[in-house]
Amino acid sequence: MNEAGRFEVYDEHDEHKGPEGHGGQEPDDHSSQDKDHDEDHDKDKDRKDRKDRKDRKDRKDRKDREDREENGPGDPARGADGMNSGHGDGDDPAAPKPDPDPDQPPRIPLPRASVEDTGRPLPDLEVLADPAPRRAPLVLEHRVLKSLLGAWALAACSPEEAAAVEEHLGTCGLCADEARRLREAVGLLHPSETLDLDPSLRTRVLEGCLERRPPRIPVPEWATPYDAEAARLDALLQDFGDAEWHAPVRLRWFEKDEPTSRRTTVAGVIAHLLTVDGLVAIALGLDDPMGDVTADRPTPSARTEAYWRASHYPPTRAVRAPWREQTHDLVRTVSFTGGGTGKLSVPYGDFELPLHDAMLDRAFECWVHAEDIAEAVDYPYEPPSGADLHQMVALAARMLPTVLAARRRDGLAAPPPGPYRHLVPAGEPGRSLRLEIEGSGGGEWLIPLDSPAAIGSAEHEVAHIALDGGEFCRLAAGHVSPQEAAAGQMGDREAIRDVLFAAASLSRM
């Protein structure tokens, strides 16, 4: 010790030196005590330093483990061994760095080499396009494959099973025949056509029943189309919910050669049929469905508008019951009164129709508006049977001469040419147009052009029109314009135009 209270670092090379640095000289007692005290102090300090270094290392190791769990072994802030790349507290900068673990990715990724530089073969393009692993085909016994034929016919097999069955069918004739029969049976379970019944099925069933036992009170032939079309429309309405009853429907017709429309609902269409059918009910002495509601004019459109206005709320499904009951009353009444009532006149406001024509007219309107309803709810609907459609087309053909004369009086149709400027006497032949209706319910009619009382004559034919039966009925309903009618035309263009526009003017709301 050079001075009191000052500690000099112990040097093992001076272990045998005295306090003055002379070697070989034994220290005195006081110097020996100081040396013992210094040695104890050095030991304590070493133990404390080792403990501090151990604590720092433990904290550092614990922090490294937490970082590895959070960032993974590839954290760029760490080395290959997961430790921080910088020196930690207590680390010796001169200490040798541990060798990197070969199983860990390098701290800085190496540049990727091109597959062309590696000398390896390039991958197949088909494998790249279809990376899904290809499974080996199934190898099944004959009895197993035979048991799978039913599931295969129903397309219920897995792809592997279907491939195995189809491969087997190419080598086994018995299984191939069985598979063909099963596929045909599946086709019967899933018919491609609509599930709706054929419109003529009801007529055929009734005819078969009536042949076995004739009815005591038969339905007149001119009333059967109305009976059939009302029943078809009633079947369409049977399963309608509130959404369908309030589906929007646009009624379309032609008025003065201009297309006209009126927006309503499915329930509103049934209310329209109820009020117009009421004209026939009044003529037969039945109750008027409008009750106390009065219309400005006794026309179909005026009665319908009055009924709609009198309703406190838009018509709902409740209108179906009175309409259905009225259709039954009409058919029952004309059947009980016999065929003699067919000549009874039914007033429509602006014109009148015999009862048998009025019933055909109501059947036609029932079918046309049923198509409007089916279109509104996106449901297929077929035309009437051939026999009923033929009667409806015949009614329109009979009405065309009268409509032509009325249009000519109103200046909507051209007058007859020079030699035919005078009306043809009643019962005499005159200029005629041949109306040919193709398809179900078709036929041919000669339409007199110059007078309603004239007779159509093939010798005086000046034009020819060919139309499909359904297309002609849609033209008469105002759903197809005369210019768009898909017609085969030949002859006098002006006469053809007059007849097509007259057919469109048959429509009304």
Side-chain angles (χ1 to χ4, degrees):
M1 298 288 294
N2 296 328
E3 297 178 2
R6 181 177 178 180
F7 172 76
E8 292 186 1
V9 179
Y10 173 76
D11 189 355
E12 63 181 357
H13 298 288
D14 299 333
E15 180 178 0
H16 301 290
K17 294 182 180 180
E20 299 297 331
H22 303 283
Q25 187 177 357
E26 294 291 335
D28 55 8
D29 295 340
H30 180 73
S31 298
S32 177
Q33 292 178 1
D34 290 342
K35 183 177 180 181
D36 294 337
H37 175 75
D38 291 341
E39 289 178 357
D40 293 338
H41 182 76
D42 290 340
K43 292 178 181 180
D44 292 339
K45 185 175 184 301
D46 291 339
R47 285 194 298 269
K48 181 179 179 182
D49 291 341
R50 285 194 300 270
K51 184 177 183 303
D52 291 342
R53 284 196 299 270
K54 184 177 184 302
D55 292 341
R56 285 195 297 268
K57 187 176 184 302
D58 292 341
R59 287 195 300 270
K60 182 174 178 295
D61 292 340
R62 184 167 56 253
K63 185 176 184 302
D64 290 342
R65 286 194 300 271
E66 293 175 356
D67 291 343
R68 283 196 298 270
E69 292 175 357
E70 180 178 359
N71 298 324
D75 187 4
R78 305 185 174 279
D81 57 352
M83 304 289 288
N84 289 338
S85 58
H87 299 291
D89 295 337
D91 289 345
D92 187 1
K97 299 293 189 297
D99 294 335
D101 188 354
D103 296 333
Q104 296 292 336
R107 295 174 56 190
I108 301 177
L110 299 176
R112 293 190 299 177
S114 173
V115 68
E116 299 175 353
D117 299 335
T118 60
R120 299 177 181 177
L122 296 177
D124 190 0
L125 294 179
E126 295 181 357
V127 176
L128 295 177
D130 186 13
R134 300 185 182 274
R135 301 179 181 177
L138 293 179
V139 179
L140 303 176
E141 298 180 1
H142 178 271
R143 59 182 183 84
V144 177
L145 293 170
K146 186 176 181 180
S147 67
L148 290 175
L149 292 179
W152 173 82
L154 293 170
C157 288
S158 66
E160 293 80 9
E161 293 173 342
V165 170
E166 291 169 1
E167 183 179 357
H168 176 68
L169 295 181
T171 58
C172 182
L174 295 177
C175 289
D177 292 339
E178 180 68 15
R180 178 180 56 81
R181 288 192 292 269
L182 290 174
R183 272 289 170 92
E184 292 175 354
V186 171
L188 296 177
L189 295 175
H190 301 279
S192 57
E193 64 273 5
T194 174
L195 296 179
D196 292 334
L197 298 178
D198 184 359
S200 61
L201 178 61
R202 181 178 183 273
T203 302
R204 296 199 305 268
V205 171
L206 289 177
E207 287 178 352
C209 295
L210 296 178
E211 286 177 359
R212 293 192 172 190
R213 190 180 68 177
R216 185 170 60 89
I217 303 175
V219 177
E221 183 180 357
W222 42 266
T224 54
Y226 176 77
D227 186 23
E229 292 309 308
R232 287 211 301 151
L233 176 55
D234 186 52
L236 174 65
L237 302 174
Q238 182 175 358
D239 297 327
F240 275 15
D242 292 338
E244 286 82 7
W245 279 103
H246 295 289
V249 181
R250 186 169 293 279
L251 303 179
R252 296 168 290 169
W253 70 96
F254 268 73
E255 188 173 341
K256 295 182 180 180
D257 296 347
E258 294 293 334
T260 308
S261 64
R262 180 72 159 79
R263 185 182 177 89
T264 183
T265 61
V266 170
V269 175
I270 302 302
H272 166 62
L273 292 175
L274 173 69
T275 57
V276 183
D277 287 353
L279 294 172
V280 182
I282 295 172
L284 291 174
L286 302 176
D287 295 335
D288 187 354
M290 295 186 64
D292 298 334
V293 179
T294 57
D296 300 336
R297 299 177 60 202
T299 61
S301 58
R303 286 172 59 87
T304 301
E305 293 288 353
Y307 189 87
W308 286 344
R309 288 194 302 268
S311 301
H312 297 289
Y313 300 98
T316 61
R317 67 169 68 238
V319 75
R320 179 193 174 203
W323 168 79
R324 186 172 185 267
E325 183 178 358
Q326 181 176 255
T327 61
H328 293 170
D329 291 342
L330 292 178
V331 175
R332 186 183 304 111
T333 302
V334 298
S335 300
F336 274 107
T337 55
T341 59
K343 297 181 180 180
L344 183 68
S345 180
V346 178
Y348 277 73
D350 297 334
F351 59 94
E352 294 183 357
L353 287 177
L355 179 60
H356 56 79
D357 287 348
M359 293 296 289
L360 287 175
D361 172 75
R362 300 317 307 148
F364 176 77
E365 290 289 323
C366 192
W367 164 46
V368 168
H369 290 316
E371 280 197 338
D372 292 336
I373 293 174
E375 181 181 355
V377 298
D378 195 18
Y379 194 84
Y381 202 79
E382 298 295 329
S385 63
D388 295 344
L389 186 61
H390 178 80
Q391 294 191 59
M392 299 178 193
V393 173
L395 171 63
R398 291 199 308 269
M399 296 176 66
L400 280 176
T402 304
V403 175
L404 274 171
R407 287 175 55 83
R408 190 172 288 117
R409 286 193 303 267
D410 296 338
L412 299 176
Y420 303 95
R421 287 194 180 277
H422 300 286
L423 292 179
V424 177
E428 295 293 331
R431 275 195 325 149
S432 303
L433 178 142
R434 184 180 297 274
L435 177 62
E436 180 182 356
I437 302 301
E438 301 172 343
S440 177
E444 288 189 1
W445 290 265
L446 288 169
I447 311 299
L449 300 175
D450 300 329
S451 176
I455 298 177
S457 172
E459 297 179 358
H460 296 78
E461 180 180 330
V462 297
H464 186 182
I465 299 177
L467 275 171
D468 177 74
E471 190 75 6
F472 175 75
C473 288
R474 291 181 180 90
L475 173 65
H479 289 193
V480 178
S481 66
Q483 297 89 345
E484 297 175 355
Q489 306 174 4
M490 183 177 64
D492 189 342
R493 296 296 179 182
E494 192 170 18
I496 293 173
R497 179 188 181 279
D498 288 342
V499 170
L500 291 178
F501 273 87
S505 64
L506 289 172
S507 63
R508 60 180 181 275
M509 185 173 75

